[in-house]
Amino acid sequence: MAELTTLESLLEMGFDRNRAERAVANTGNQGIEQAMDWLMEHENDPDIDEPFVPPAENVLGGTADVTTSSEMADLDPGEVGGDIINPDGSKRPMTEEEKREQVKRLEELMRVKQAERREREKAEEIEREKTRRKQGQELQQIRQKLQEDDMKKLADQRRKEKMEDKLARQRVKEKIARDREERAQKFGGGASSSQPSPTSPPGQGPPPTKREYDESRIQIRLLDGSTITASFKAQEPLAAVRVYVQMNGNTPEGQDFSLLSPYPRHLYTELDMEKPLKELGLVPSAVLVVTKK
C-alpha cells in the first residue's frame, strides 16, 4: 500500500513517527521524495512535534492501494512498498536485504536533497548579503550628499552674512567721513579773539580766553568690565565711538548696545549718535559705559 510504504520508508530512515505521519499527510501521499522535502522545509516549525491527528478522509493505515508515479520512479521495477511484484502479477514480501537496499537508496536521495537545499540556501544568503550591501552603500551615499548640501548651504549663508556686515561697516565709515567733512566746513575757523571787557577793573588785564579743544579722549567700559581708551575729533559724531566699540571691543557679533554717561547719568539715543562730541559735552575727555539694549 503506497501510503504505508512512504511512512514505513521514513520510519526505516530514522524519522520520528509523528513527523513522518505529518509529512505523508501534508504532501497528499505523493511519494517519499515529496515527504522528505516537506520534512526538511518544516523541520524548524514550532508545531512539528505536536501530536498529529490524521484527516478523517485520509487515515494512515487505510486501505488505499494507489501507488504514485513518484514512488514508482524511486523504486526498482517490480517493487512497491514492502512487496515485490512478480512478472505474473503476484506479490511476495521483500527480503531484509531488499529492504536495506531500499532504505539505502532513500537515504542517499535524502542526502542529495539536503545538499541541494544547503546550496540553495547558501546562494540565497549570498544574494541577500549583496542586496544588503548595495542598499547600505546607497544609503551612505544619500547621507553624504545631504551632509555636503547642508555644509554648502551653511558656508554660503556665512559668506553672505560676512559680506552684509562688511558693507554695513563700510556705509557707517563713509557716513562718518561725510559728516566729519561737513562739520569741518560748517564749524571750521579759529575762535574769535576776546576783547577786554569795558567793565574790567582798572589796572587789570583782559580775562583769560576759554581754551578751545579740538580733540576728546574717551574711556569706554565694555560689557565684561574691561576698558578701552581712544581719542576722537571734537566734531566727530557719537556714532564714531559706537563704531569704534563694534570694531575694537569684545562685544559679541550681532549684539546691539547703547552708550551711557555715568555722571551725570545720561543714556544716549539714536538722535544723539548724529551729534558732535563737543555738542554732547564729551570734550576734552569723558567716560562712557556700554550697556545692552
Side-chain angles (χ1 to χ4, degrees), residues 141-180:
Q141 291 174 356
I142 292 173
R143 289 177 177 172
Q144 184 175 356
K145 188 176 185 305
L146 290 175
Q147 291 177 353
E148 290 174 354
D149 292 343
D150 290 341
M151 292 297 293
K152 184 178 179 180
K153 289 179 181 178
L154 182 60
D156 292 342
Q157 181 65 24
R158 289 180 177 175
R159 283 194 294 269
K160 182 179 178 181
E161 291 175 353
K162 287 183 178 180
M163 181 59 67
E164 291 176 351
D165 184 64
K166 182 178 179 181
L167 293 175
R169 291 175 184 268
Q170 183 64 30
R171 287 194 296 269
V172 171
K173 289 181 179 179
E174 292 174 355
K175 188 176 187 308
I176 292 174
R178 289 194 302 269
D179 292 345
R180 183 183 302 172

mmCIF file of all heavy atoms in Angstrom, residues 141-180:
data_model
loop_
_atom_site.group_PDB
_atom_site.id
_atom_site.type_symbol
_atom_site.label_atom_id
_atom_site.label_comp_id
_atom_site.label_asym_id
_atom_site.label_seq_id
_atom_site.Cartn_x
_atom_site.Cartn_y
_atom_site.Cartn_z
ATOM 1 N N GLN A 141 25.603 56.943 0.520
ATOM 2 C CA GLN A 141 25.771 57.993 -0.475
ATOM 3 C C GLN A 141 24.729 59.093 -0.302
ATOM 4 O O GLN A 141 25.036 60.282 -0.435
ATOM 5 C CB GLN A 141 25.673 57.385 -1.876
ATOM 6 C CG GLN A 141 26.847 56.491 -2.244
ATOM 7 C CD GLN A 141 26.657 55.785 -3.575
ATOM 8 O OE1 GLN A 141 25.593 55.901 -4.198
ATOM 9 N NE2 GLN A 141 27.654 55.050 -4.005
ATOM 10 N N ILE A 142 23.498 58.696 0.014
ATOM 11 C CA ILE A 142 22.439 59.685 0.231
ATOM 12 C C ILE A 142 22.768 60.557 1.441
ATOM 13 O O ILE A 142 22.645 61.790 1.409
ATOM 14 C CB ILE A 142 21.088 58.978 0.416
ATOM 15 C CG1 ILE A 142 20.654 58.314 -0.902
ATOM 16 C CG2 ILE A 142 20.015 59.967 0.872
ATOM 17 C CD1 ILE A 142 19.420 57.465 -0.780
ATOM 18 N N ARG A 143 23.207 59.917 2.537
ATOM 19 C CA ARG A 143 23.564 60.684 3.740
ATOM 20 C C ARG A 143 24.716 61.637 3.469
ATOM 21 O O ARG A 143 24.706 62.796 3.911
ATOM 22 C CB ARG A 143 23.942 59.718 4.864
ATOM 23 C CG ARG A 143 22.749 58.945 5.444
ATOM 24 C CD ARG A 143 23.221 57.960 6.488
ATOM 25 N NE ARG A 143 22.099 57.256 7.118
ATOM 26 C CZ ARG A 143 22.242 56.234 7.944
ATOM 27 N NH1 ARG A 143 23.449 55.796 8.262
ATOM 28 N NH2 ARG A 143 21.176 55.658 8.468
ATOM 29 N N GLN A 144 25.725 61.158 2.737
ATOM 30 C CA GLN A 144 26.883 62.000 2.441
ATOM 31 C C GLN A 144 26.479 63.209 1.600
ATOM 32 O O GLN A 144 26.933 64.332 1.832
ATOM 33 C CB GLN A 144 27.937 61.172 1.715
ATOM 34 C CG GLN A 144 29.239 61.936 1.439
ATOM 35 C CD GLN A 144 30.301 61.053 0.821
ATOM 36 O OE1 GLN A 144 30.105 59.852 0.665
ATOM 37 N NE2 GLN A 144 31.418 61.634 0.465
ATOM 38 N N LYS A 145 25.590 62.977 0.624
ATOM 39 C CA LYS A 145 25.141 64.086 -0.222
ATOM 40 C C LYS A 145 24.354 65.116 0.587
ATOM 41 O O LYS A 145 24.522 66.331 0.417
ATOM 42 C CB LYS A 145 24.279 63.556 -1.365
ATOM 43 C CG LYS A 145 23.923 64.613 -2.398
ATOM 44 C CD LYS A 145 23.152 64.018 -3.550
ATOM 45 C CE LYS A 145 22.911 65.069 -4.649
ATOM 46 N NZ LYS A 145 22.255 66.280 -4.156
ATOM 47 N N LEU A 146 23.503 64.630 1.510
ATOM 48 C CA LEU A 146 22.748 65.555 2.355
ATOM 49 C C LEU A 146 23.686 66.381 3.231
ATOM 50 O O LEU A 146 23.484 67.590 3.403
ATOM 51 C CB LEU A 146 21.760 64.771 3.221
ATOM 52 C CG LEU A 146 20.576 64.126 2.475
ATOM 53 C CD1 LEU A 146 19.754 63.275 3.433
ATOM 54 C CD2 LEU A 146 19.705 65.181 1.820
ATOM 55 N N GLN A 147 24.719 65.734 3.787
ATOM 56 C CA GLN A 147 25.679 66.459 4.616
ATOM 57 C C GLN A 147 26.428 67.511 3.791
ATOM 58 O O GLN A 147 26.637 68.636 4.241
ATOM 59 C CB GLN A 147 26.663 65.484 5.253
ATOM 60 C CG GLN A 147 26.042 64.593 6.315
ATOM 61 C CD GLN A 147 27.027 63.591 6.879
ATOM 62 O OE1 GLN A 147 28.154 63.459 6.384
ATOM 63 N NE2 GLN A 147 26.616 62.872 7.904
ATOM 64 N N GLU A 148 26.827 67.130 2.567
ATOM 65 C CA GLU A 148 27.545 68.081 1.720
ATOM 66 C C GLU A 148 26.648 69.266 1.353
ATOM 67 O O GLU A 148 27.097 70.413 1.344
ATOM 68 C CB GLU A 148 28.025 67.367 0.454
ATOM 69 C CG GLU A 148 29.147 66.363 0.710
ATOM 70 C CD GLU A 148 29.500 65.575 -0.544
ATOM 71 O OE1 GLU A 148 28.792 65.738 -1.571
ATOM 72 O OE2 GLU A 148 30.477 64.807 -0.499
ATOM 73 N N ASP A 149 25.379 68.984 1.062
ATOM 74 C CA ASP A 149 24.443 70.073 0.744
ATOM 75 C C ASP A 149 24.258 71.007 1.938
ATOM 76 O O ASP A 149 24.230 72.238 1.780
ATOM 77 C CB ASP A 149 23.091 69.498 0.320
ATOM 78 C CG ASP A 149 23.170 68.780 -1.024
ATOM 79 O OD1 ASP A 149 24.161 68.997 -1.752
ATOM 80 O OD2 ASP A 149 22.252 67.996 -1.331
ATOM 81 N N ASP A 150 24.140 70.412 3.154
ATOM 82 C CA ASP A 150 23.976 71.240 4.352
ATOM 83 C C ASP A 150 25.208 72.113 4.592
ATOM 84 O O ASP A 150 25.095 73.292 4.936
ATOM 85 C CB ASP A 150 23.709 70.351 5.572
ATOM 86 C CG ASP A 150 22.340 69.694 5.517
ATOM 87 O OD1 ASP A 150 21.488 70.192 4.750
ATOM 88 O OD2 ASP A 150 22.122 68.699 6.224
ATOM 89 N N MET A 151 26.409 71.516 4.421
ATOM 90 C CA MET A 151 27.636 72.279 4.628
ATOM 91 C C MET A 151 27.750 73.407 3.595
ATOM 92 O O MET A 151 28.189 74.519 3.917
ATOM 93 C CB MET A 151 28.845 71.349 4.525
ATOM 94 C CG MET A 151 28.942 70.325 5.658
ATOM 95 S SD MET A 151 29.158 71.123 7.268
ATOM 96 C CE MET A 151 30.794 71.824 7.070
ATOM 97 N N LYS A 152 27.345 73.125 2.368
ATOM 98 C CA LYS A 152 27.415 74.155 1.334
ATOM 99 C C LYS A 152 26.464 75.303 1.645
ATOM 100 O O LYS A 152 26.820 76.479 1.513
ATOM 101 C CB LYS A 152 27.068 73.532 -0.014
ATOM 102 C CG LYS A 152 27.212 74.490 -1.177
ATOM 103 C CD LYS A 152 26.904 73.806 -2.497
ATOM 104 C CE LYS A 152 27.029 74.779 -3.668
ATOM 105 N NZ LYS A 152 26.727 74.126 -4.956
ATOM 106 N N LYS A 153 25.241 74.956 2.079
ATOM 107 C CA LYS A 153 24.272 75.996 2.432
ATOM 108 C C LYS A 153 24.796 76.839 3.597
ATOM 109 O O LYS A 153 24.666 78.069 3.604
ATOM 110 C CB LYS A 153 22.941 75.364 2.800
ATOM 111 C CG LYS A 153 22.198 74.758 1.618
ATOM 112 C CD LYS A 153 20.890 74.126 2.055
ATOM 113 C CE LYS A 153 20.152 73.496 0.888
ATOM 114 N NZ LYS A 153 18.897 72.829 1.320
ATOM 115 N N LEU A 154 25.389 76.176 4.602
ATOM 116 C CA LEU A 154 25.908 76.895 5.761
ATOM 117 C C LEU A 154 27.047 77.828 5.356
ATOM 118 O O LEU A 154 27.112 78.974 5.817
ATOM 119 C CB LEU A 154 26.379 75.889 6.813
ATOM 120 C CG LEU A 154 26.914 76.471 8.121
ATOM 121 C CD1 LEU A 154 25.835 77.301 8.806
ATOM 122 C CD2 LEU A 154 27.386 75.363 9.058
ATOM 123 N N ALA A 155 27.949 77.331 4.492
ATOM 124 C CA ALA A 155 29.067 78.170 4.049
ATOM 125 C C ALA A 155 28.560 79.376 3.260
ATOM 126 O O ALA A 155 29.046 80.506 3.432
ATOM 127 C CB ALA A 155 30.027 77.341 3.195
ATOM 128 N N ASP A 156 27.572 79.149 2.379
ATOM 129 C CA ASP A 156 27.007 80.269 1.608
ATOM 130 C C ASP A 156 26.352 81.291 2.534
ATOM 131 O O ASP A 156 26.485 82.510 2.329
ATOM 132 C CB ASP A 156 25.974 79.737 0.608
ATOM 133 C CG ASP A 156 26.618 78.912 -0.500
ATOM 134 O OD1 ASP A 156 27.848 79.045 -0.685
ATOM 135 O OD2 ASP A 156 25.893 78.147 -1.160
ATOM 136 N N GLN A 157 25.651 80.805 3.561
ATOM 137 C CA GLN A 157 24.999 81.724 4.498
ATOM 138 C C GLN A 157 26.026 82.557 5.264
ATOM 139 O O GLN A 157 25.845 83.768 5.460
ATOM 140 C CB GLN A 157 24.136 80.912 5.475
ATOM 141 C CG GLN A 157 23.378 81.754 6.492
ATOM 142 C CD GLN A 157 22.329 82.644 5.854
ATOM 143 O OE1 GLN A 157 21.856 82.349 4.756
ATOM 144 N NE2 GLN A 157 21.966 83.715 6.515
ATOM 145 N N ARG A 158 27.112 81.909 5.693
ATOM 146 C CA ARG A 158 28.147 82.657 6.423
ATOM 147 C C ARG A 158 28.810 83.695 5.537
ATOM 148 O O ARG A 158 29.089 84.822 5.977
ATOM 149 C CB ARG A 158 29.188 81.682 6.973
ATOM 150 C CG ARG A 158 28.665 80.843 8.132
ATOM 151 C CD ARG A 158 29.719 79.902 8.651
ATOM 152 N NE ARG A 158 29.246 79.148 9.814
ATOM 153 C CZ ARG A 158 29.937 78.192 10.415
ATOM 154 N NH1 ARG A 158 31.144 77.858 9.959
ATOM 155 N NH2 ARG A 158 29.434 77.563 11.456
ATOM 156 N N ARG A 159 29.095 83.322 4.285
ATOM 157 C CA ARG A 159 29.698 84.299 3.374
ATOM 158 C C ARG A 159 28.766 85.488 3.146
ATOM 159 O O ARG A 159 29.198 86.638 3.108
ATOM 160 C CB ARG A 159 30.038 83.619 2.035
ATOM 161 C CG ARG A 159 31.286 82.771 2.077
ATOM 162 C CD ARG A 159 31.748 82.430 0.672
ATOM 163 N NE ARG A 159 30.795 81.587 -0.010
ATOM 164 C CZ ARG A 159 30.812 80.271 0.008
ATOM 165 N NH1 ARG A 159 31.765 79.651 0.690
ATOM 166 N NH2 ARG A 159 29.918 79.567 -0.654
ATOM 167 N N LYS A 160 27.487 85.192 3.016
ATOM 168 C CA LYS A 160 26.508 86.256 2.809
ATOM 169 C C LYS A 160 26.453 87.182 4.022
ATOM 170 O O LYS A 160 26.424 88.423 3.877
ATOM 171 C CB LYS A 160 25.139 85.646 2.542
ATOM 172 C CG LYS A 160 24.050 86.666 2.254
ATOM 173 C CD LYS A 160 22.724 85.988 1.970
ATOM 174 C CE LYS A 160 21.617 87.000 1.725
ATOM 175 N NZ LYS A 160 20.305 86.337 1.472
ATOM 176 N N GLU A 161 26.441 86.593 5.225
ATOM 177 C CA GLU A 161 26.386 87.412 6.439
ATOM 178 C C GLU A 161 27.637 88.282 6.584
ATOM 179 O O GLU A 161 27.547 89.456 6.968
ATOM 180 C CB GLU A 161 26.228 86.506 7.657
ATOM 181 C CG GLU A 161 24.864 85.812 7.738
ATOM 182 C CD GLU A 161 24.783 84.829 8.878
ATOM 183 O OE1 GLU A 161 25.838 84.601 9.523
ATOM 184 O OE2 GLU A 161 23.696 84.290 9.128
ATOM 185 N N LYS A 162 28.803 87.692 6.287
ATOM 186 C CA LYS A 162 30.046 88.468 6.387
ATOM 187 C C LYS A 162 30.050 89.625 5.386
ATOM 188 O O LYS A 162 30.491 90.736 5.700
ATOM 189 C CB LYS A 162 31.245 87.559 6.151
ATOM 190 C CG LYS A 162 31.532 86.610 7.309
ATOM 191 C CD LYS A 162 32.782 85.796 7.030
ATOM 192 C CE LYS A 162 33.093 84.873 8.207
ATOM 193 N NZ LYS A 162 34.318 84.068 7.945
ATOM 194 N N MET A 163 29.563 89.345 4.181
ATOM 195 C CA MET A 163 29.528 90.398 3.168
ATOM 196 C C MET A 163 28.569 91.520 3.585
ATOM 197 O O MET A 163 28.883 92.710 3.446
ATOM 198 C CB MET A 163 29.100 89.803 1.828
ATOM 199 C CG MET A 163 29.038 90.804 0.687
ATOM 200 S SD MET A 163 30.646 91.610 0.378
ATOM 201 C CE MET A 163 31.581 90.194 -0.200
ATOM 202 N N GLU A 164 27.401 91.141 4.102
ATOM 203 C CA GLU A 164 26.443 92.163 4.552
ATOM 204 C C GLU A 164 27.023 92.983 5.696
ATOM 205 O O GLU A 164 26.851 94.204 5.752
ATOM 206 C CB GLU A 164 25.142 91.488 4.977
ATOM 207 C CG GLU A 164 24.357 90.884 3.819
ATOM 208 C CD GLU A 164 23.130 90.147 4.275
ATOM 209 O OE1 GLU A 164 22.984 89.950 5.509
ATOM 210 O OE2 GLU A 164 22.300 89.758 3.431
ATOM 211 N N ASP A 165 27.722 92.335 6.630
ATOM 212 C CA ASP A 165 28.321 93.053 7.751
ATOM 213 C C ASP A 165 29.417 93.993 7.255
ATOM 214 O O ASP A 165 29.544 95.134 7.729
ATOM 215 C CB ASP A 165 28.886 92.052 8.749
ATOM 216 C CG ASP A 165 29.438 92.725 9.988
ATOM 217 O OD1 ASP A 165 28.647 93.353 10.725
ATOM 218 O OD2 ASP A 165 30.659 92.640 10.231
ATOM 219 N N LYS A 166 30.197 93.513 6.300
ATOM 220 C CA LYS A 166 31.270 94.351 5.760
ATOM 221 C C LYS A 166 30.702 95.585 5.070
ATOM 222 O O LYS A 166 31.204 96.704 5.233
ATOM 223 C CB LYS A 166 32.099 93.519 4.779
ATOM 224 C CG LYS A 166 33.270 94.278 4.180
ATOM 225 C CD LYS A 166 34.066 93.375 3.253
ATOM 226 C CE LYS A 166 35.240 94.134 2.631
ATOM 227 N NZ LYS A 166 36.021 93.265 1.707
ATOM 228 N N LEU A 167 29.629 95.375 4.288
ATOM 229 C CA LEU A 167 29.005 96.508 3.604
ATOM 230 C C LEU A 167 28.396 97.496 4.601
ATOM 231 O O LEU A 167 28.463 98.711 4.409
ATOM 232 C CB LEU A 167 27.929 95.992 2.639
ATOM 233 C CG LEU A 167 28.446 95.186 1.433
ATOM 234 C CD1 LEU A 167 27.274 94.633 0.640
ATOM 235 C CD2 LEU A 167 29.336 96.043 0.559
ATOM 236 N N ALA A 168 27.787 96.963 5.674
ATOM 237 C CA ALA A 168 27.196 97.840 6.680
ATOM 238 C C ALA A 168 28.274 98.688 7.356
ATOM 239 O O ALA A 168 28.098 99.896 7.575
ATOM 240 C CB ALA A 168 26.439 97.011 7.706
ATOM 241 N N ARG A 169 29.401 98.078 7.691
ATOM 242 C CA ARG A 169 30.500 98.826 8.320
ATOM 243 C C ARG A 169 31.043 99.886 7.357
ATOM 244 O O ARG A 169 31.373 101.011 7.765
ATOM 245 C CB ARG A 169 31.613 97.867 8.728
ATOM 246 C CG ARG A 169 31.241 96.952 9.876
ATOM 247 C CD ARG A 169 32.361 95.944 10.129
ATOM 248 N NE ARG A 169 31.992 94.993 11.167
ATOM 249 C CZ ARG A 169 32.259 95.141 12.458
ATOM 250 N NH1 ARG A 169 32.889 96.232 12.862
ATOM 251 N NH2 ARG A 169 31.892 94.230 13.343
ATOM 252 N N GLN A 170 31.122 99.503 6.086
ATOM 253 C CA GLN A 170 31.635 100.454 5.113
ATOM 254 C C GLN A 170 30.709 101.657 4.987
ATOM 255 O O GLN A 170 31.165 102.810 4.890
ATOM 256 C CB GLN A 170 31.787 99.749 3.748
ATOM 257 C CG GLN A 170 32.388 100.609 2.661
ATOM 258 C CD GLN A 170 33.814 101.019 2.967
ATOM 259 O OE1 GLN A 170 34.536 100.284 3.641
ATOM 260 N NE2 GLN A 170 34.223 102.178 2.490
ATOM 261 N N ARG A 171 29.382 101.392 5.000
ATOM 262 C CA ARG A 171 28.428 102.509 4.919
ATOM 263 C C ARG A 171 28.549 103.431 6.131
ATOM 264 O O ARG A 171 28.463 104.661 6.001
ATOM 265 C CB ARG A 171 27.005 101.948 4.809
ATOM 266 C CG ARG A 171 26.693 101.343 3.452
ATOM 267 C CD ARG A 171 25.194 101.112 3.285
ATOM 268 N NE ARG A 171 24.682 100.130 4.232
ATOM 269 C CZ ARG A 171 24.616 98.829 3.970
ATOM 270 N NH1 ARG A 171 25.046 98.347 2.808
ATOM 271 N NH2 ARG A 171 24.125 97.996 4.865
ATOM 272 N N VAL A 172 28.742 102.842 7.322
ATOM 273 C CA VAL A 172 28.907 103.667 8.521
ATOM 274 C C VAL A 172 30.164 104.527 8.423
ATOM 275 O O VAL A 172 30.163 105.731 8.749
ATOM 276 C CB VAL A 172 28.945 102.774 9.773
ATOM 277 C CG1 VAL A 172 29.329 103.587 11.000
ATOM 278 C CG2 VAL A 172 27.595 102.106 9.995
ATOM 279 N N LYS A 173 31.258 103.909 7.957
ATOM 280 C CA LYS A 173 32.509 104.674 7.832
ATOM 281 C C LYS A 173 32.362 105.818 6.837
ATOM 282 O O LYS A 173 32.840 106.927 7.079
ATOM 283 C CB LYS A 173 33.630 103.731 7.380
ATOM 284 C CG LYS A 173 34.081 102.748 8.442
ATOM 285 C CD LYS A 173 35.207 101.874 7.903
ATOM 286 C CE LYS A 173 35.689 100.901 8.952
ATOM 287 N NZ LYS A 173 36.777 100.025 8.444
ATOM 288 N N GLU A 174 31.706 105.524 5.722
ATOM 289 C CA GLU A 174 31.514 106.577 4.721
ATOM 290 C C GLU A 174 30.644 107.699 5.266
ATOM 291 O O GLU A 174 30.907 108.877 5.020
ATOM 292 C CB GLU A 174 30.886 105.967 3.461
ATOM 293 C CG GLU A 174 31.823 105.020 2.714
ATOM 294 C CD GLU A 174 31.126 104.322 1.560
ATOM 295 O OE1 GLU A 174 29.904 104.520 1.415
ATOM 296 O OE2 GLU A 174 31.798 103.591 0.806
ATOM 297 N N LYS A 175 29.611 107.361 6.017
ATOM 298 C CA LYS A 175 28.740 108.386 6.598
ATOM 299 C C LYS A 175 29.499 109.241 7.611
ATOM 300 O O LYS A 175 29.348 110.470 7.669
ATOM 301 C CB LYS A 175 27.532 107.726 7.268
ATOM 302 C CG LYS A 175 26.473 108.723 7.730
ATOM 303 C CD LYS A 175 25.271 108.009 8.279
ATOM 304 C CE LYS A 175 24.133 108.996 8.578
ATOM 305 N NZ LYS A 175 24.545 110.121 9.413
ATOM 306 N N ILE A 176 30.321 108.555 8.431
ATOM 307 C CA ILE A 176 31.119 109.313 9.412
ATOM 308 C C ILE A 176 32.066 110.263 8.705
ATOM 309 O O ILE A 176 32.234 111.428 9.111
ATOM 310 C CB ILE A 176 31.886 108.335 10.313
ATOM 311 C CG1 ILE A 176 30.914 107.568 11.212
ATOM 312 C CG2 ILE A 176 32.922 109.059 11.155
ATOM 313 C CD1 ILE A 176 31.581 106.478 12.027
ATOM 314 N N ALA A 177 32.674 109.757 7.622
ATOM 315 C CA ALA A 177 33.604 110.619 6.882
ATOM 316 C C ALA A 177 32.879 111.828 6.287
ATOM 317 O O ALA A 177 33.389 112.958 6.333
ATOM 318 C CB ALA A 177 34.298 109.804 5.788
ATOM 319 N N ARG A 178 31.678 111.613 5.737
ATOM 320 C CA ARG A 178 30.923 112.734 5.172
ATOM 321 C C ARG A 178 30.515 113.721 6.258
ATOM 322 O O ARG A 178 30.621 114.945 6.075
ATOM 323 C CB ARG A 178 29.678 112.206 4.441
ATOM 324 C CG ARG A 178 29.990 111.489 3.141
ATOM 325 C CD ARG A 178 28.709 111.314 2.317
ATOM 326 N NE ARG A 178 27.690 110.576 3.048
ATOM 327 C CZ ARG A 178 27.555 109.254 2.997
ATOM 328 N NH1 ARG A 178 28.401 108.530 2.260
ATOM 329 N NH2 ARG A 178 26.577 108.662 3.672
ATOM 330 N N ASP A 179 30.037 113.196 7.392
ATOM 331 C CA ASP A 179 29.633 114.098 8.476
ATOM 332 C C ASP A 179 30.818 114.897 8.990
ATOM 333 O O ASP A 179 30.696 116.091 9.307
ATOM 334 C CB ASP A 179 29.018 113.278 9.611
ATOM 335 C CG ASP A 179 27.687 112.665 9.217
ATOM 336 O OD1 ASP A 179 27.125 113.106 8.191
ATOM 337 O OD2 ASP A 179 27.205 111.746 9.917
ATOM 338 N N ARG A 180 31.950 114.232 9.079
ATOM 339 C CA ARG A 180 33.142 114.922 9.576
ATOM 340 C C ARG A 180 33.530 116.057 8.639
ATOM 341 O O ARG A 180 33.867 117.177 9.072
ATOM 342 C CB ARG A 180 34.284 113.913 9.708
ATOM 343 C CG ARG A 180 35.557 114.489 10.290
ATOM 344 C CD ARG A 180 36.649 113.442 10.314
ATOM 345 N NE ARG A 180 36.227 112.273 11.087
ATOM 346 C CZ ARG A 180 36.936 111.157 11.136
ATOM 347 N NH1 ARG A 180 38.077 111.050 10.444
ATOM 348 N NH2 ARG A 180 36.519 110.145 11.863
#
